[in-house]
């Protein structure tokens, strides 16, 4: 089976890139299941119910998230209601929503998805490695196809989790930095890995934010109200081929497709 993992969707340009490009990618590559990180889909900060519905309509099966999922209050209830929306599993008990789930492709193949958040240069959450141990064990009772979105800042932490889960999950894809890394590979145990899947949003920007505003912030160190940039939308992600019997990855392809190219 083939799955497409889409990197952080940032604001309206990200949604536009997704709606314009995703369908064609799914057709060309015969994709069975689409996971996308949607934590920046609402003007760069958080996710609203209406926008989540749009993303599902565009063809996303499961939305993952990260630290920005808490930016829009309406997402809190929605996290409890919508099984196809995940937040990182290693938030302390009491956080709304869930961090993993088991889903099915249209052909009826089961897919487990786990969302985790890193702790290096980020909040002091529970250990993502130990959270993964427990969740992988639970999900493997239902399916050997398990996809992990590790929303983290540090490349070392992301590579380390990939190595730690190698052979136990089908894919570990990093998110959060919005800059796609060129290290996609299948690890020795059969886990497809990329340090960061990249961003789905404006490339003529500083990680999706207007260049002038981001530079102003660095120059002045004063608070600046960020706005999402508009130009040159791109869809970034990772295409993974998986043997559904063993759950091992058999192919991995990095995707970075500009909107103009798809027209
Ligand atoms: Fe993030």
């Amino acid at each position: 089976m083939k799955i497409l993992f889409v990197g952080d969707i940032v604001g309206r340009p990200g949604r536009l890139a997704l709606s314009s490009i995703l369908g064609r990618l799914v057709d060309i590559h015969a994709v069975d299941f689409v996971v996308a990180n949607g934590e920046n889909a609402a003007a760069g900060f958080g996710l609203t119910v209406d926008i989540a519905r749009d993303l599902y309509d565009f063809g996303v099966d499961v939305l993952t998230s990260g630290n920005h999922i808490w930016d829009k209050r309406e997402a809190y209830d929605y996290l409890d209601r919508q099984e196809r929306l995940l937040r990182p599993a290693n938030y302390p008990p009491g956080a709304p929503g869930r961090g993993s789930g088991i889903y099915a492709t249209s052909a009826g193949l089961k897919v487990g998805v786990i969302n985790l958040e890193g702790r290096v240069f980020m909040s002091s959450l529970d250990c993502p490695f130990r959270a993964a141990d427990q969740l992988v064990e639970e999900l493997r009772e239902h399916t050997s196809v398990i996809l992990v979105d590790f929303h983290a800042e540090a490349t070392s932490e992301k590579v380390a989790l990939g190595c730690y889960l190698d052979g136990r999950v089908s894919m570990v894809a990093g998110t959060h930095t919005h800059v796609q890394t060129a290290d996609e590979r299948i690890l020795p145990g059969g886990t497809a890995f990329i340090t960061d899947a990249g961003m789905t949003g404006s490339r003529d920007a500083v990680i999706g934010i207007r260049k002038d505003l981001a530079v102003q912030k660095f120059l002045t160190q004063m608070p600046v109200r960020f706005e999402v940039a508009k130009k040159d939308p791109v869809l970034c992600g990772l295409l993974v081929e998986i043997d559904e019997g063993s759950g091992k990855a058999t192919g991995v392809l990095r995707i970075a497709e500009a909107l103009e190219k798809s027209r």
Side-chain angles (χ1 to χ4, degrees), residues 8 39-40 66-68 122 151 176:
D8 309 36
E39 70 149 14
N40 304 119
N67 52 312
H68 280 295
M122 297 186 83
H151 198 76
H176 180 65

Side-chain angles (χ1 to χ4, degrees), residues 65-66 69-70 79 85-92 95-100 115:
S65 64
I69 192 59
W70 314 114
L79 276 162
L85 172 61
L86 300 179
R87 48 84 175 156
N90 52 323
Y91 273 84
R98 73 214 82 217
S100 68
N115 193 184

